[in-house]
Amino acid sequence: MVSEGLWSIGELARWAGVGVKTVRYYSDRGLLPEAGRSSGGHRRYGAGALDRLRLIRSLRALDLPVPAVERALERDEALEEVVSGQLREVGSQLTALRWREASLRLLQDCPAGERTERLRLLGAVSVPPDTAALARFWRRILPVRLPARVVSTVLDSVVPRLPEEPSPGQVLDFARLHALVSDPRVERPESRPAPPLPAGEYRPAVLYEGLAEAYALASAELAAGRALREGGAGGALDCFVAAYAHARGTVDSPGFRRGLLPLLARSDGPVITRYWKLATGLFAPGEPVLGALHHHLSVALHAQVEGRAD
């Protein structure tokens, strides 16, 4: 230790347990202010430099890049922002590792004859995956006149939030779902689902807003253990039919309900049916699955209409 309570660069490095080059690097970056210079022009550091250097080392040990360390040392609020950002990045990395692990287990446990096909499916999906292709698929098949807020609501309901810790089965379902919505054949007119009501004969925004309310009621009724036909006046099934009736500018009636059945049967088609078969297992436990709710309501309507016919 030198006089005046100041340390040389070598002494500071020794006390901190780092190399002289490290101290010099941080000094040159302005992260480690000098207390002065010796008569020979050598750097001198005060006692506070050791605490500062230890803080820098702690931040770097957390894998923060040097620019982030610089921001973190400016003020306490900046440190909080940097730590929050690093936590998000680590979370993303962990999710990617879990998807990779589940993908490897999927390949490890599958029959040898299926491995090549599964590799092809997995190779088309990023890790961690995103749902952009699913959202594009729905944007293509939704009516063009839907307001942006309605489109956003629909997408929130039909595009699953992918699990952070997927099972191998969920990885396979998503890979197959991604392949389905990315298949150029679904763009062909014969492959696209029929509109929920005859084209040009209904107001799409009215229909989709009404269906959102019906699905919410159906989810609550099913969670309560009630059959959808037993919901009573104003229940999910009535709301479901009313959505179609209001969209057509007409009223609910036994005749309207009978005429709605073939429309519901045609509206989904094989692509949408396949979509929901693959997507259902990707939704969180207890989360309403719109495809399943729509199916339950359609089945309940069919049972009700057929029951009346009897």
Side-chain angles (χ1 to χ4, degrees):
M1 185 156 311
V2 298
S3 58
E4 296 95 24
L6 299 180
W7 297 339
S8 69
I9 191 170
E11 290 169 328
L12 177 59
R14 192 160 52 251
W15 278 102
V18 300
V20 170
K21 288 184 178 179
T22 299
V23 177
R24 183 175 292 112
Y25 172 74
Y26 290 138
S27 293
D28 291 341
R29 299 268 323 200
L31 295 176
L32 204 59
E34 303 169 15
R37 294 268 178 162
S38 69
S39 57
H42 299 291
R43 307 175 199 237
R44 292 290 183 262
Y45 300 90
L50 180 59
D51 290 336
R52 178 87 165 187
L53 185 53
R54 285 172 174 167
L55 177 58
I56 294 170
R57 290 189 64 199
S58 296
L59 293 171
R60 292 288 290 138
L62 294 173
D63 207 27
L64 267 69
V66 173
V69 172
E70 290 175 334
R71 294 196 304 274
L73 293 175
E74 291 176 358
R75 63 188 194 282
D76 290 341
E77 294 83 355
L79 175 58
E80 184 176 347
E81 293 170 3
V82 167
V83 170
S84 296
Q86 194 72 0
L87 279 172
R88 288 192 296 272
E89 183 176 340
V90 169
S92 178
Q93 292 170 352
L94 286 173
T95 299
L97 286 172
R98 289 165 183 148
W99 274 84
R100 190 171 299 143
E101 178 187 25
S103 299
L104 290 170
R105 293 192 184 281
L106 176 66
L107 294 173
Q108 181 183 53
D109 298 338
C110 77
E114 298 179 15
R115 196 160 289 144
T116 299
E117 174 62 14
R118 292 189 178 185
L119 273 171
R120 183 189 66 79
L121 289 169
L122 294 174
V125 178
S126 62
V127 178
D130 64 61
T131 56
L134 278 60
R136 287 195 297 270
F137 166 77
W138 282 100
R139 287 183 183 277
R140 289 196 301 267
I141 66 176
L142 286 172
V144 295
R145 292 172 290 168
L146 277 184
R149 58 179 173 77
V150 178
V151 172
S152 179
T153 299
V154 172
L155 293 181
D156 285 343
S157 301
V158 299
V159 177
R161 295 169 181 79
L162 299 182
E164 294 182 356
E165 299 185 32
S167 66
Q170 287 175 316
V171 168
L172 182 58
D173 281 347
F174 179 77
R176 287 172 169 166
L177 185 61
H178 186 274
L180 174 71
V181 301
S182 303
D183 190 335
R185 288 174 294 181
V186 303
E187 288 292 313
R188 297 174 183 172
E190 65 272 17
S191 299
R192 300 185 69 169
L197 287 171
E201 297 183 12
Y202 74 106
R203 293 170 293 171
V206 173
L207 174 62
Y208 282 90
E209 288 175 338
L211 288 178
E213 182 181 354
Y215 296 145
L217 288 172
S219 179
E221 290 178 13
L222 291 172
R226 295 198 304 271
L228 296 179
R229 292 179 64 190
E230 301 170 355
L237 185 55
D238 285 349
C239 186
F240 181 67
V241 176
Y244 286 93
H246 293 163
R248 287 290 299 272
T250 187
V251 295
D252 183 7
S253 68
F256 180 80
R257 294 191 176 212
R258 283 194 300 272
L260 185 56
L261 289 179
L263 290 174
L264 293 174
R266 292 197 305 266
S267 63
D268 285 352
V271 174
I272 298 298
T273 300
R274 177 70 171 162
Y275 179 96
W276 286 115
K277 181 177 180 181
L278 294 170
T280 295
L282 297 171
F283 286 86
E287 185 178 1
V289 180
L290 186 149
L293 296 173
H294 185 87
H295 174 73
H296 285 306
L297 287 163
S298 298
V299 169
L301 177 62
H302 188 275
Q304 185 187 74
V305 169
E306 292 301 314
R308 287 177 179 172
D310 294 340

